[in-house]
Amino acid sequence: MTWQAVARKEFDDSIRSRWLHGSTLFFVLFLGGAAALAFGFLLPDQFKDASNLFGFFVDLGIFSLSFPGLFALILGFVALSTSYGSITEERETGTIKLALSLPNSRMDLVAGKFLGRGAVVVAALLVGFLAAFVALLATGTSIGFESFVPMIALTVLLALAFVSVGLGISAVADSNREATLATMGLYLIFGILWKPIAEGIPKLLNYAAEEAGVGALENFTRVKIGLFLKYLNPLRTYETLVAQVYYGPARARLVSATTGEQLAVANQFAPAQGGVPIYLSGGAMLLVFLAWIVVPTLVGYYVFRERDL
Amino acid sequence: MAAIELDEVTKRFEEGGRLSRLVDSVRNAERSDDVTAVRNLSLTVEEGEVFGFLGPNGAGKSTTINMLLDFVRPTEGAIRVLGFDARDESVDVRARTGVLPEGFDVYDRLTGRQHVEFAASSKRLDEDEADVDAVLERVGIADAADRKAGGYSKGMRQRLALAMALVGDPDLLVLDEPSSGLDPAGAKEMRDIVTEEAERGTTVFFSSHVLEQVDAVCDRVGIMREGELVAVDTIDSLREKSDADSTLRVEVAGDVSALDVEAVTALDGVRSVTVDAAADSLTVSCVGDAKMAVIDELESQGLDVTDFETREASLEDLFLSYTGHDAPETDEAGDGQEAHA
């Protein structure tokens, strides 16, 4: 196994790319800037707590906005952009012939790419959080490490998940152009289309059940199916888990939920009512998250292994 | 143990995108646009040998080399390199093989030194074994080693890839068109390095579409044409064959177009006759011994021979005849008639 050599090469190469410098600068400005702006200027002293920014959620049902949700969209874009060309570009320029002339297996190449590119995005991200940390200290804001640190860890996992998705696309695509289009399409699905589809499927199931004469599905069941499908989206998984870190599981299930969902689950998921069902629990969502990190790269590898260069 | 063994190897490339392949397989249609790049290739290269792999562009040389390295997989047949299966044990093959691939590019943002260090760590060499500086020195880019390779010229990129191939002292060198992009002095240095490596006992397998490069360094050559191996022989034996061939150019007084070309062509040892009416001359390609018979035949047809010259066919002519191109002399006979025996 020589994936270390490939990962090292990837890191050395990417660390010099303008794209990385740009995204690092962006993370610094975005995370550090947001913290400085929020706690230095906007919020009064009694709100000087990191949770008021990194745990900022507005869930009015018809209107939802959250800092983690917004940041996840941006991070997803940066991570995808860092990885979607990692194999197709090497194939198009011919650098892959140098890498695979050496005793690197295709597994070494894919694993090395994942670690190298992942490390680059995570490094940029951590510099951003460092800037935020400095801003928090400078403004005398209480940090609350018991939620700040898990939040950063979740953000790192999100970055790796999207690096993995981009790498998987790159390994499967025939050309850079194909990889670009697939990445854009997938980003659109994660960012916009996932929600209506996840809401549509329980309705479809309900309709099918009625037609089959089994009778309509209970509203609560429909909502749980819908939520389960929504939580398969890594963006939503991240947002919900971050909310859980700050506000606990029951409250976190209301984040970004529709009014109908909020009404259905608000009381049912309270600890007194038996809490959150296992397949919607934080543990299950963590598994979904890990699957997004492992599966796309693995599938990409199996396809790439069988191909001619 | 043979260094390289190919047994009945065929490679067909499927053309078209995934969708068109899917549609065709659903319709059960014949794939008419598939390309057979290599057909039934069997070849053995012994250890310590310097083998030149010749053929025009598109003859299947690079595809063959790509199969040795597991860049592409044979459709049929078996390949063993240094005793390892080229597909299942490709990492073992490449651990002992230095490769200068065709159509490669360097990592623009990495320096020359970082490239060689990447090669060394991929080959699991420690610093002493690798001796990166010595290798950079040897290929002549030590001065530029700490510059980003994106700024290298084509020739420097070629040298850099050679450095990556040489690091760790491989048992086998596979060089695909090693001189492309190099100036004559660079090509000479490349040949010297090949010779040095061969003297150390390294097996060298290299491809070229230019015969001259092969001539000086190779023990044996194989000639590819349209995916098939049309000749495998030693350079000496090829030269003997080519010496047997010569070209005879005859100038005659009188109307050359009255010549009975068929009768000349029918003579023993004559391969082709080309008549150039405008210059009152004809060109005959024949074995050396047939020259007098040709002159006699012309005179017996009543044509006076005013002048004639013979030219021994070069190795180049032979190569061109193997690869399906006529020697340049016959191509020039623009308005002449041509008859082949």
Side-chain angles (χ1 to χ4, degrees):
Chain A
M1 295 297 274
T2 55
W3 52 265
Q4 297 95 327
V6 180
R8 172 78 199 276
K9 186 266 300 170
E10 279 300 312
F11 192 81
D12 285 348
D13 189 30
S14 309
I15 207 88
R16 287 174 174 74
S17 79
R18 243 187 272 162
W19 170 253
L20 175 73
H21 302 159
S23 39
T24 310
L25 186 68
F26 176 81
F27 285 137
V28 167
L29 290 178
F30 190 85
L31 293 171
L37 193 66
F39 302 115
F41 300 100
L42 298 180
L43 295 175
D45 277 352
Q46 68 267 33
F47 291 118
K48 281 201 171 177
D49 188 302
S51 69
N52 286 329
L53 176 67
F54 296 106
F56 174 78
F57 294 93
V58 177
D59 325 294
L60 301 177
I62 43 167
F63 172 76
S64 331
L65 178 71
S66 72
F67 184 83
L70 182 64
F71 186 64
L73 267 181
I74 297 168
L75 178 59
F77 179 79
V78 171
L80 280 175
S81 308
T82 308
S83 62
Y84 82 89
S86 54
I87 289 178
T88 46
E89 272 167 16
E90 282 220 27
R91 285 175 66 172
E92 272 175 24
T93 57
T95 50
I96 202 168
K97 288 191 172 172
L98 282 189
L100 289 181
S101 289
L102 299 167
N104 302 311
S105 68
R106 296 201 185 184
M107 176 57 114
D108 293 329
L109 189 79
V110 172
K113 289 244 172 228
F114 175 72
L115 293 171
R117 303 259 167 157
V120 161
V121 180
V122 169
L125 191 62
L126 291 181
V127 173
F129 275 118
L130 186 69
F133 181 67
V134 170
L136 291 175
L137 288 183
T139 54
T141 309
S142 71
I143 291 171
F145 286 103
E146 73 289 349
S147 32
F148 190 65
V149 172
M151 187 271 296
I152 293 177
L154 286 169
T155 314
V156 167
L157 289 184
L158 180 71
L160 293 180
F162 275 97
V163 166
S164 174
V165 169
L167 180 58
I169 289 174
S170 204
V172 172
D174 273 336
S175 65
N176 215 17
R177 188 170 161 275
E178 203 176 285
T180 311
L181 291 175
T183 307
M184 280 165 52
L186 213 60
Y187 186 70
L188 206 65
I189 290 175
F190 283 135
I192 298 173
L193 297 178
W194 196 292
K195 199 171 175 184
I197 292 172
E199 282 166 16
I201 288 174
K203 288 180 189 154
L204 214 61
L205 286 176
N206 190 42
Y207 177 75
E210 277 179 346
E211 291 295 300
V214 191
L217 296 174
E218 210 185 318
N219 182 43
F220 186 44
T221 313
R222 289 207 313 253
V223 166
K224 281 195 288 188
I225 296 173
L227 278 182
F228 177 72
L229 292 174
K230 285 180 180 180
Y231 290 160
L232 293 179
N233 181 342
L235 292 173
R236 184 67 182 271
T237 316
Y238 170 76
E239 198 181 8
T240 312
L241 285 174
V242 170
Q244 179 161 342
V245 163
Y246 281 106
Y247 307 113
R251 171 75 182 80
R253 298 305 174 277
L254 302 179
V255 163
S256 286
T258 62
T259 312
E261 287 166 347
Q262 290 188 350
L263 289 175
V265 304
N267 297 320
Q268 305 278 9
F269 285 172
Q273 302 292 321
V276 178
I278 185 92
Y279 54 89
L280 297 178
S281 67
M285 285 161 84
L286 214 49
L287 276 182
V288 168
F289 225 3
L290 292 178
W292 276 112
I293 294 175
V294 174
V295 175
T297 294
L298 214 55
V299 169
Y301 162 69
Y302 280 112
V303 173
F304 178 60
R305 190 182 62 173
E306 300 306 316
R307 304 186 75 178
D308 290 344
L309 292 187
Chain B
M1 183 186 69
I4 298 175
E5 286 174 283
L6 293 115
D7 186 23
E8 294 283 313
V9 172
T10 294
K11 176 62 189 178
R12 258 189 310 280
F13 284 106
E14 292 176 339
E15 289 297 307
R18 284 202 191 100
L19 196 61
S20 90
R21 256 178 270 154
L22 185 71
V23 170
D24 282 5
S25 67
V26 169
R27 287 169 52 217
N28 230 349
E30 283 280 311
R31 298 286 315 176
S32 53
D33 49 357
D34 284 0
V35 176
T36 304
V38 173
R39 190 180 291 116
N40 286 332
L41 175 60
S42 295
L43 176 67
T44 304
V45 176
E46 297 300 332
E47 261 182 59
E49 196 173 11
V50 179
F51 190 90
F53 200 45
L54 292 172
N57 297 328
K61 303 187 301 290
S62 286
T63 302
T64 305
I65 287 179
N66 287 344
M67 286 191 289
L68 297 180
L69 303 171
D70 196 40
F71 290 175
V72 305
R73 282 65 185 258
T75 315
E76 287 160 36
I79 303 176
R80 295 190 77 76
V81 181
L82 299 171
F84 296 102
D85 184 277
R87 164 120 207 219
D88 297 335
E89 299 164 306
S90 177
V91 171
D92 293 310
V93 170
R94 286 178 277 134
R96 293 159 182 80
T97 304
V99 183
L100 177 59
E102 168 267 349
F104 73 92
D105 203 355
V106 296
Y107 295 98
D108 286 352
R109 289 189 292 259
L110 297 183
T111 64
R113 184 184 307 280
Q114 282 174 319
H115 277 81
V116 181
E117 283 167 355
F118 171 45
S121 63
S122 293
K123 293 179 188 181
R124 300 175 152 278
L125 305 172
D126 59 38
E127 265 177 48
D128 294 342
E129 290 172 302
D131 204 352
V132 170
D133 287 305
V135 175
L136 287 164
E137 189 71 45
R138 194 165 165 213
V139 299
I141 53 169
D143 296 343
D146 294 312
R147 273 170 41 204
K148 285 184 184 176
Y152 282 13
S153 67
K154 178 85 204 301
M156 288 165 80
R157 288 166 193 234
Q158 199 79 356
R159 288 158 189 261
L160 177 55
L162 184 65
M164 293 172 76
L166 290 175
V167 73
D169 197 11
D171 298 336
L172 169 67
L173 269 182
V174 174
L175 314 172
D176 199 351
E177 299 281 356
S179 308
S180 71
L182 296 179
D183 54 26
K188 165 86 168 57
E189 282 171 41
M190 179 72 76
R191 282 198 297 276
D192 291 345
I193 289 174
V194 168
T195 314
E196 277 169 37
E197 285 297 309
E199 277 164 9
R200 291 189 192 184
T202 310
T203 310
V204 183
F205 183 89
F206 76 97
S207 79
S208 178
H209 62 277
V210 186
L211 185 81
E212 294 161 11
Q213 295 165 359
V214 176
D215 198 356
V217 290
C218 283
D219 302 320
R220 279 199 309 154
V221 295
I223 300 178
M224 291 287 284
R225 175 186 176 178
E226 290 173 8
E228 292 181 42
L229 191 65
V230 290
V232 186
D233 218 332
T234 63
I235 285 280
D236 287 343
S237 153
L238 276 180
R239 182 165 282 128
E240 266 170 40
K241 281 179 197 160
S242 72
D243 285 348
D245 273 12
S246 57
T247 307
L248 178 65
R249 189 181 142 89
V250 191
E251 279 179 34
V252 294
D255 188 6
V256 74
S257 56
L259 176 72
D260 181 359
V261 175
E262 297 293 324
V264 181
T265 311
L267 292 170
D268 266 355
V270 173
R271 299 205 303 161
S272 72
V273 178
T274 310
V275 175
D276 184 355
D280 280 333
S281 73
L282 68 162
T283 307
V284 181
S285 165
C286 59
V287 298
D289 304 342
K291 284 177 222 159
M292 280 322 291
V294 172
I295 304 291
D296 287 346
E297 173 64 25
L298 294 179
E299 305 225 302
S300 77
Q301 287 193 28
L303 288 169
D304 282 335
V305 174
T306 55
D307 193 12
F308 76 90
E309 54 177 352
T310 64
R311 204 175 62 77
E312 301 297 307
S314 67
L315 214 50
E316 191 75 21
D317 295 331
L318 187 82
F319 171 54
L320 291 172
S321 77
Y322 270 123
T323 56
H325 292 82
D326 287 323
E329 283 77 18
T330 50
D331 281 345
E332 283 164 18
D335 52 351
Q337 340 160 237
E338 205 169 359
H340 284 281

